Amino acid sequence: MLRMSTLFLRTLRDDPSDAAVASHKLLVRAGYIRPIAAGIFSWLPLGVNVLRKVERVIREEMDKAGFQEVHFPALLPKDPYEKTNRWEDYGPALFRLQDRKGSDYLLGPTHEEMFTLMVKGEYSSYKDLPLSIYQIQTKYRDEARPRSGIIRGREFVMKDSYSFDLDDAGLEVSYGKHRDAYISTFDRLGLKYNIVSAMSGAMGGSKSEEFLAPCSTGEDTYVLCKKCGYAVNVEAMSTKVSAGETTEHPPIEVLDTPNTPTIESLVEVMNKKYSANIDASKTLKNVLLIADGNPISVLVPGDREVDLKRLEANLIGVKELRLFDDEDFAKRKDFVKGYVGPQDAKRLGVKLYADPRITIGSSWITGANVRDKHARNVVHGRDFQVDGFVEAAEVREGDACPKCDTPVIIDRAIEIGHIFQLGRKYAEALELTVLDSEGKSRVVTMGSYGIGVTRAVAAIAEQTYDEIGLVWPAEIAPAKVHIVATGKDDLPFTTAEKVALELEGKGIEVMLDDRREASPGVKFKDAELIGNPIILIFGKSLADGKVELRIRKSGEKSEVALAEVVSKVAALLN
RNA sequence: CGGGGCGUAGCGUAGUGGCUAGCGCGUCUGCUUUGGGAGCAGAAGACCGUGGGUUCGAGUCCCUCCGCCCCGACCA
């Protein structure tokens, strides 16, 4: 029983000044966590309580699916991570350290290497597969910018699983089992979520889906079609393209357009000076970038911005991408800022990538690569050719669903889970092979599956809180019932104690506010802030043999006869 | 890493270059009080983030560093 009189807990009346999101504010105020450094938190008894419950649900669902738990160190040697190149590739986000002898170590940001090596050390036959193992571990990533309290920390708890199969069909099965296990896990945790495809089909990459918990403070943006259920990360959204134009276009015409370096000014000049009657979507925006040191130009309709995240996710093979800056323009005087067009790409030595809306045969108004001049009737296929199409333009609410053409909605969410068909990358690098039925050596194919455990705590808080505090689902609340005893007489306290013990006897967790010195107001506020689902109040009405029962979530209040309290509570929890 | 904001007691905050750094919450003691963060009386608690500078005098002005938050870049 959690007794408020002795519980290591101090609630705060004010929001901490450095917290911006609700989960952060409330978890600190209600005494679940305390900040230690940027993106690093201590967990107090209430916080540990909730965290353990989330872990328990995860463990139960993993075990039910037949996955086995293992546990790796958080402190790891460099060597395996060198073999997979991640000692380098992970960059500054990797916490690196040395021991007294000067050997390199790291704090694990994720454990693909260790899992792969563990299986390699134990198994060598196809008969041992399939296998899925998992751990719940503290992970470390030196995030460039930790933020939003526990949503994006530098130290966090993650459940990560890995599946090992002989072939793609097996991987598909293991992936499906994880997907199902995640669905039951998140359902039990009371989370609302969407399963969203994380990679575009165009990439031809392996399968990857994210479990996104919608909430306004989320960092991920996703696209959802309410009609057909199409759901993708915004980076993976593919553009619905209407049929290409086939009409003949007049030849290119170069126009005088002094002082029109922006799309907005171009539209105005075209309409006023040339009576074109167009909007920005008829113009072609040429966004210059540096991709791994080389200039590229990305073409999007003038009414859309380039979404750098989308572009980067869809430009395969490019490691470093940034916009042209003033220095680049200074170096390349042949790129006329504000008047760039695709017609001279070859001469300028720039690779062209086009948004799919720039269909072959479409005609555009764009820069003439000469200061103060634009060109119209610039036709894709006739006047310029692109090196490839790429999803680069921003996605907007109301854009057409690529599957059913219905306008899509855009929402923000917290990524609470990610399942991913890894393939053979790690198995190859670390030489994880087994002998198949013909005695031949085969590289194992893997899947990787993560759940952000601490992040799930934050996501649940974000999805359920209200203006007076946290509102936990019963499954993970610190206690199912929060009992408040008020008054100066002993009766409410002794009665509350008795009922608390009875409830516990039925396996119902109880938090008992047995503080004699605290005023009723304080106890009510604390109960509401802490967020257990049922609140029982032993006070005034006890004289009539009644107890007040409140549902935290709905705020609903009722009087229950003392004799019926236990059965009533038990019924509510079923 | 770029831009912005902020560091004063456990938390929230006030503080024209000028006396002993103020207030609320919380904490401790005593009395009173017990259905909505009670009242009274008292108490403890602050290297005013750090180092330097300007000044007769710095919490306050200048510089350095450190830390925290927000936007962006980044985020298997």
Side-chain angles (χ1 to χ4, degrees), chain A residues 462-570:
Chain A
E462 289 287 341
Q463 284 191 343
T464 56
Y465 80 95
D466 62 20
E467 53 292 335
I468 55 175
L470 295 160
V471 188
W472 298 112
E475 177 96 49
I476 64 153
K480 307 274 183 279
V481 186
H482 190 124
I483 297 181
V484 174
T486 67
K488 59 177 172 181
D489 300 329
D490 287 340
L491 185 65
F493 289 86
T494 53
T495 316
E497 176 99 22
K498 216 177 107 224
V499 170
L501 288 170
E502 256 184 85
L503 286 166
E504 283 214 320
K506 291 190 169 260
I508 296 168
E509 295 164 299
V510 175
M511 184 178 289
L512 175 63
D513 199 338
D514 54 350
R515 291 174 295 178
R516 298 299 291 249
E517 68 285 0
S519 70
V522 169
K523 294 179 180 181
F524 296 151
K525 293 284 186 200
D526 276 347
E528 285 151 357
L529 182 60
I530 288 167
N532 291 310
I534 297 173
I535 300 171
L536 290 178
I537 298 160
F538 290 69
K540 278 197 311 206
S541 52
L542 206 53
D544 311 323
K546 297 270 177 70
V547 174
E548 186 180 328
L549 185 151
R550 295 186 190 173
I551 307 300
R552 173 65 182 87
K553 186 173 178 170
S554 63
E556 183 190 330
K557 302 176 184 180
S558 56
E559 298 265 298
V560 180
L562 180 57
E564 288 162 20
V565 165
V566 173
S567 56
K568 175 84 181 171
V569 167

Side-chain angles (χ1 to χ4, degrees), chain A residues 394-438:
Chain A
E394 60 176 321
V395 177
R396 290 190 199 143
E397 182 130 344
D399 282 351
C401 168
K403 277 201 177 152
C404 73
D405 230 9
T406 308
V408 296
I409 58 164
I410 291 184
D411 204 1
R412 294 176 73 80
I414 300 175
E415 181 188 348
I416 47 174
H418 196 163
I419 54 178
F420 186 36
Q421 296 190 359
L422 255 189
R424 299 192 163 79
K425 176 180 170 184
Y426 293 92
E428 236 153 47
L430 299 166
E431 298 172 319
L432 169 61
T433 59
V434 292
L435 295 178
D436 67 13
S437 56
E438 286 159 16

Side-chain angles (χ1 to χ4, degrees), chain A residues 158-373:
Chain A
M158 185 179 187
K159 188 286 308 179
D160 52 331
S161 324
Y162 300 86
S163 66
F164 301 85
D165 283 279
L166 192 63
D167 53 31
D168 293 350
L171 171 56
E172 193 65 47
V173 172
S174 296
Y175 182 90
K177 283 169 86 174
H178 273 91
R179 195 176 192 275
D180 291 343
Y182 275 34
I183 288 170
S184 30
T185 302
F186 293 131
D187 285 348
R188 277 183 65 186
L189 291 176
L191 278 160
K192 289 188 283 275
Y193 61 91
N194 288 298
I195 303 175
V196 160
S197 146
M199 281 184 183
S200 60
M203 270 184 76
S206 29
K207 200 164 169 185
S208 168
E209 290 170 296
E210 293 168 340
F211 287 74
L212 298 184
C215 88
S216 57
T217 48
E219 299 185 293
D220 280 66
T221 308
Y222 71 101
V223 176
L224 184 68
C225 173
K226 289 223 161 146
K227 192 174 169 205
C228 75
Y230 174 78
V232 292
N233 190 297
V234 73
E235 289 166 23
M237 166 79 168
S238 52
T239 303
K240 174 89 178 181
V241 180
S242 36
E245 301 173 47
T246 49
T247 45
E248 286 291 309
H249 295 289
I252 290 194
E253 184 186 356
V254 176
L255 308 168
D256 281 324
T257 54
N259 298 318
T260 52
T262 62
I263 295 288
E264 200 185 339
S265 55
L266 176 61
V267 170
E268 197 185 321
V269 167
M270 290 308 296
N271 287 341
K272 281 194 178 154
K273 190 167 170 186
Y274 296 101
S275 313
N277 192 25
I278 55 148
D279 61 37
S281 67
K282 297 292 178 207
T283 69
L284 187 60
K285 187 181 284 185
N286 294 251
V287 177
L288 293 170
L289 304 105
I290 303 283
D292 292 336
N294 302 311
I296 65 167
S297 177
V298 173
L299 309 178
V300 294
D303 61 331
R304 300 219 176 218
E305 297 299 325
V306 165
D307 180 332
L308 276 178
K309 280 190 181 177
R310 294 195 75 215
L311 176 60
E312 198 158 6
N314 291 296
L315 258 189
I316 304 150
V318 172
K319 280 190 179 151
E320 211 189 326
L321 190 69
R322 61 173 178 83
L323 286 165
F324 246 56
D325 56 27
D326 290 341
E327 252 176 62
D328 296 312
F329 278 109
K331 270 186 227 157
R332 294 291 306 261
K333 291 265 176 10
D334 43 350
F335 290 112
V336 188
K337 193 176 178 183
Y339 300 91
V340 181
Q343 310 88 303
D344 304 311
K346 284 233 167 64
R347 171 172 69 76
L348 294 167
V350 61
K351 275 202 168 182
L352 282 184
Y353 294 96
D355 178 84
R357 292 176 188 83
I358 320 299
T359 53
I360 292 180
S362 57
S363 170
W364 301 89
I365 297 164
T366 190
N369 295 309
V370 177
R371 186 160 309 282
D372 296 338
K373 291 198 192 294

Side-chain angles (χ1 to χ4, degrees), chain A residues 70-86:
Chain A
V70 296
H71 195 76
F72 289 100
L75 179 62
L76 301 166
K78 164 169 114 172
D79 193 52
Y81 287 77
E82 280 224 295
K83 287 209 170 75
T84 56
N85 266 330
R86 290 166 98 194

